[in-house]
Amino acid sequence: MNTFIVTRLILKDWYLNRPLFVAALFTGLLTLGAVSAAKGTQIAVILGVIVLATILIGMGAVIMSSMVNERRQQTLPFVMSLPVSYLEYTTSKLAGSLLIFFVLWLALLSGMIATILVTPWFPHGLIPFIVIMAVEILVTTSLIAAVSVTTESQGWTIGVTQVGGLALNAVGFSIARMPSIGHTMSGPTIQWSSASIFKTISRTASGKSALLIPSVSLLLRSRCQIQMSDPDIRLGGKLAARVPGIQHPARLNNHQFHFVFRKRFVLHAPGHDEHLAWAQMHLAVAEVDAQLALHDEKCLVRLRMVVPDEVAYELRELELVVVHLRNHFRRPSL
Amino acid sequence: MTDLAVQFAGVTKKYPHFALTDIDLELSTGGIMGFVGANGAGKSTTIRILMGLVHQDCGTVDVLGHAMPMQQAVAKRDVGFVSEDMRLYGPLTLAWHMNFVRSIYPGWDQRYAEDLLRRFDLKVEQKIKGLSHGQRVKAALLLALARRPRLLVLDEPTTGLDPVARREVLSELMAVLADEERTIFFSSQNTLDVEQISDQITFIDRGRIIESANKESFLDRWRRIRLMLPPNAVLPRLPGIVEVGGSARLPVLTVSRFEPAMVAACQDAGVAVQAVDAMTLEEIFIVNVQNRREREVA
């Protein structure tokens, strides 16, 4: 493992995610400030926790999908043109993404705990709940990272992010209803004694780890080669090459080949005004042609055509015209 | 110590709807190979295998003496790669990219990079997302060339460029050729570009190498012979006739193994030779591909 190149790639990802990181940190600190200014009212605390959790989950999804983005944005060939192996590239992606997220996670968690401890009107009993939820977010984000790196699929990454978010809500709800935690959340002291806290963390974390470990195993097997062909982008499509008048089909990349789930125009929109068109999978796609009709004048060239004003040497010959291909491709000599 | 910069031996890669079959290629150190093929012929797949980005199912690939893809990290220290579908980081500047690549390659030639900046009319402060397609290709080429690689792999770098940008890119490649130790593997659909800079040409079609030879050999061997056939005369049997066109009276032969003796043979058979035309690489490529495809169908 070339640690130098891995470090360089991690620093590159740090630099690329820097604006997002700063924005998330700033928003998080602003939220903490607002919560603090609200003097510990219950609604402010709930809103604050929700905003912070949203920042972490959102940032986690964005940072962890950087591997998918690398491929979608076609920067992967540039990275892989460097003296780096797949293992080093994957390691840098995983380590870099998790490191960036972990710093943000630690900063916001520390900020939240510090705000609760320093500000007199916050119930200190809230801290265990916040720590459990923060650990849950960390584990969920690690899972998203593993899925992103393993599949390099935006669809899978989004799917896992959404499922992870829903699971997080369920975990938060169930933890808040646990007597050992729910009853002490509004209390003035921190109650760490209950074994159920650790039991909860370990149970949910192990559930996600059950998905994480196979993902990483799969990753180690599948990382022997990178899937360079993006399912969403077909480079230099053959379809384009078959279109008359297309001089450089290699640049005409065909996007969005998922015909069932894709953005497309719908014909006869008044007949398709359902909010959820569950069973309707319209495979016919309406394409917009922005060209003026004047440009679409077409003529038909056939294999056999009448050649006027030609003189035959002999009666049995239908025509005399011989077309010689010359060096200049566009000027046949007659 | 081998003097081959690139060597493919029996390389095969199968996809559900495409297969690269039995690719055998050799490119000597200091050589310039033009790799020509239509869309979907297998050019990019071959180059990805060469760069270690895709693993071959069987066969061996050696790049600068290193087995690919296992030793790709070592091999790529001396390889510069630019492909048509390669993008740089849009939000970042060219200066950042130059610093990034320089930090990885100890042999980075800053003076040459600045020289290329001037020649390509690029501005280091400009963000990549603000560059035109031609400027992006030039930027990628700059990043590859300033590493001073021993092997330069270019996958359709001139595709989509306007004539001026293409001329600038090709001129720079020609300048690079002054270094006889530098090897270039260059794929393109534009046969004119390939004809300009390559000294070895390989045609690929439907995943198979259909012909590989040096450029002079290609251009010397392929001819169009225009004949005038008197009544009751028959075409002489000539070696290497790929295509017979024209009419019965004025046939046009396309031959792949032309020799001056063919003209004499025609005249001896009582057939008048009206002209012997040289063919462009594009014409050779098209006839070659069509001929192979017709033979496959037959």
Side-chain angles (χ1 to χ4, degrees):
Chain A
M1 179 77 71
N2 186 340
T3 51
F4 171 75
I5 192 84
V6 171
T7 309
R8 294 302 312 170
L9 292 176
I10 289 173
L11 289 174
K12 182 240 341 165
D13 280 345
W14 262 100
Y15 193 80
L16 277 168
N17 285 298
R18 184 196 47 183
L20 203 61
F21 179 84
V22 171
L25 196 61
F26 179 74
T27 311
L29 293 176
L30 205 65
T31 304
L32 287 175
V35 169
S36 181
K39 299 188 176 178
T41 55
Q42 191 179 15
I43 187 71
V45 172
I46 292 170
L47 282 176
V49 169
I50 289 173
V51 169
L52 289 178
T54 306
I55 290 170
L56 281 175
I57 294 168
M59 274 294 291
V62 171
I63 293 171
M64 298 310 156
S65 61
S66 73
M67 196 150 192
V68 177
N69 291 335
E70 197 98 68
R71 193 158 63 90
R72 286 186 65 82
Q73 292 164 6
Q74 293 177 263
T75 50
L76 183 57
F78 170 66
V79 175
M80 291 309 296
S81 75
L82 304 171
V84 57
S85 67
Y86 295 114
L87 186 63
E88 289 159 352
Y89 168 72
T90 309
T91 306
S92 73
K93 272 290 167 194
L94 264 178
S97 302
L98 289 173
L99 197 63
I100 295 167
F101 180 77
F102 184 72
V103 171
L104 183 69
W105 176 86
L106 201 61
L108 292 185
L109 179 62
S110 307
M112 189 70 195
I113 291 173
T115 304
I116 292 171
L117 290 176
V118 170
T119 316
W121 42 76
F122 269 122
H124 292 185
L126 198 60
I127 288 177
F129 175 76
I130 286 172
V131 170
I132 291 171
M133 291 307 294
V135 171
E136 286 294 328
I137 290 173
L138 188 63
V139 174
T140 304
T141 307
S142 305
L143 178 66
I144 294 169
V147 170
S148 170
V149 168
T150 306
T151 63
E152 290 186 22
S153 158
Q154 191 180 38
W156 274 100
T157 307
I158 290 172
V160 171
T161 305
Q162 289 174 340
V163 171
L166 289 172
L168 207 60
N169 286 332
V171 168
F173 183 73
S174 64
I175 290 174
R177 287 173 62 86
M178 289 171 67
S180 55
I181 297 175
H183 292 166
T184 59
M185 275 169 65
S186 54
T189 56
I190 305 169
Q191 302 266 340
W192 288 106
S193 58
S194 175
S196 59
I197 294 174
F198 300 101
K199 192 177 172 184
T200 306
I201 292 176
S202 62
R203 194 172 58 203
T204 53
S206 63
K208 285 170 182 171
S209 301
L211 293 172
L212 184 71
I213 292 166
S215 299
V216 173
S217 305
L218 182 64
L219 161 76
L220 293 175
R221 285 203 304 271
S222 65
R223 290 314 299 167
C224 59
Q225 76 174 37
I226 277 186
Q227 303 294 321
M228 293 292 287
S229 58
D230 191 324
D232 291 329
I233 301 172
R234 186 170 295 174
L235 299 174
K238 292 176 184 175
L239 294 176
R242 290 177 186 148
V243 178
I246 301 294
Q247 293 184 353
H248 299 293
R251 291 195 63 205
L252 295 177
N253 302 335
N254 300 315
H255 291 254
Q256 292 186 326
F257 266 70
H258 306 295
F259 264 43
V260 177
F261 299 104
R262 57 168 290 190
K263 286 176 279 187
R264 59 181 182 264
F265 298 98
V266 177
L267 296 170
H268 310 300
H272 294 84
D273 55 353
E274 294 89 352
H275 293 293
L276 294 170
W278 289 103
Q280 296 186 24
M281 294 181 179
H282 302 284
L283 296 181
V285 179
E287 298 284 348
V288 172
D289 187 352
Q291 292 182 352
L292 294 173
L294 189 62
H295 294 163
D296 288 322
E297 290 180 357
K298 295 182 178 66
C299 57
L300 186 63
V301 178
R302 297 177 180 172
L303 290 177
R304 292 182 181 180
M305 57 187 292
V306 177
V307 181
D309 303 328
E310 297 298 336
V311 181
Y313 276 173
E314 295 177 17
L315 287 174
R316 62 185 168 83
E317 293 183 5
L318 294 176
E319 60 174 280
L320 184 63
V321 168
V322 176
V323 179
H324 291 288
L325 294 176
R326 295 180 59 183
N327 290 344
H328 196 301
F329 213 64
R330 291 180 179 169
R331 256 191 322 203
S333 70
L334 300 181
Chain B
M1 181 80 182
T2 176
D3 65 344
L4 290 176
V6 176
Q7 186 176 30
F8 280 65
V11 171
T12 296
K13 176 70 184 176
K14 285 189 171 63
Y15 291 104
H17 303 292
F18 174 76
L20 203 64
T21 312
D22 287 334
I23 302 294
D24 292 303
L25 273 179
E26 287 188 350
L27 177 58
S28 304
T29 301
I32 305 137
M33 177 178 281
F35 200 50
V36 184
N39 276 338
K43 298 188 300 293
S44 294
T45 306
T46 307
I47 285 181
R48 284 170 186 170
I49 290 173
L50 188 157
M51 288 298 297
L53 306 179
V54 171
H55 290 198
Q56 65 272 27
D57 295 335
C58 63
T60 58
V61 179
D62 282 313
V63 174
L64 301 173
H66 302 288
M68 301 296 269
M70 287 74 72
Q71 298 174 323
Q72 61 169 296
V74 183
K76 286 190 286 192
R77 286 177 192 162
D78 291 312
V79 178
F81 175 53
V82 176
S83 77
E84 190 270 336
D85 62 345
M86 177 189 283
R87 300 285 182 272
L88 304 175
Y89 293 102
L92 304 180
T93 62
L94 179 56
W96 180 89
H97 283 84
M98 289 171 67
N99 288 331
F100 177 62
V101 176
R102 183 171 57 188
S103 71
I104 292 170
Y105 288 89
W108 175 268
D109 189 338
Q110 183 61 22
R111 186 176 296 177
Y112 181 41
E114 286 167 4
D115 187 37
L116 285 173
L117 276 175
R118 276 192 298 277
R119 275 193 272 177
F120 285 161
D121 195 22
L122 294 170
K123 293 176 178 60
V124 289
E125 312 83 25
Q126 198 168 355
K127 288 185 176 176
I128 298 298
K129 64 184 174 188
L131 300 179
S132 66
H133 176 68
Q135 287 174 316
R136 286 178 198 175
V137 171
K138 289 179 191 172
L141 201 60
L142 181 152
L143 295 172
L145 289 175
R147 302 171 195 177
R148 294 285 187 193
R150 286 164 58 201
L151 171 64
L152 195 56
V153 180
L154 307 170
D155 186 8
E156 303 195 32
T158 55
T159 301
L161 295 186
D162 64 72
V164 177
R166 205 175 79 203
R167 169 62 55 190
E168 287 174 346
V169 167
L170 287 176
S171 299
E172 197 47 50
L173 288 179
M174 286 177 183
V176 169
L177 305 184
D179 183 353
E180 292 183 353
E181 289 300 308
R182 192 164 296 168
T183 312
I184 299 182
F185 192 95
F186 176 60
S187 90
S188 179
Q189 296 170 353
N190 191 327
T191 50
L192 194 61
D193 295 348
V194 174
E195 195 172 343
Q196 278 183 301
I197 68 166
S198 305
D199 55 28
Q200 191 177 346
I201 290 165
T202 299
F203 290 156
I204 184 169
D205 187 51
R206 293 180 175 174
R208 287 180 183 273
I209 301 285
I210 56 175
E211 195 156 7
S212 185
N214 70 57
K215 183 174 72 180
E216 301 309 322
S217 166
F218 259 113
L219 298 178
D220 288 346
R221 284 190 291 110
W222 285 79
R223 286 285 186 277
R224 277 216 172 89
I225 308 173
R226 284 194 260 170
L227 305 173
M228 180 174 277
L229 207 63
N232 303 322
V234 291
L235 275 176
R237 287 184 177 276
L238 299 174
I241 294 179
V242 177
E243 189 180 75
V244 179
S247 65
R249 175 170 290 277
L250 298 170
V252 180
L253 308 182
T254 304
V255 295
S256 63
R257 299 202 297 272
F258 176 76
E259 290 174 8
M262 286 180 177
V263 176
C266 289
Q267 288 166 343
D268 291 346
V271 179
V273 177
Q274 289 188 313
V276 177
D277 296 332
M279 295 172 69
T280 63
L281 195 62
E282 181 163 305
E283 290 170 325
I284 296 171
F285 172 65
I286 291 169
V287 171
N288 212 333
V289 167
Q290 284 177 341
N291 182 251
R292 297 276 170 164
R293 289 184 180 180
E294 284 167 8
R295 281 194 346 221
E296 279 179 13
V297 171

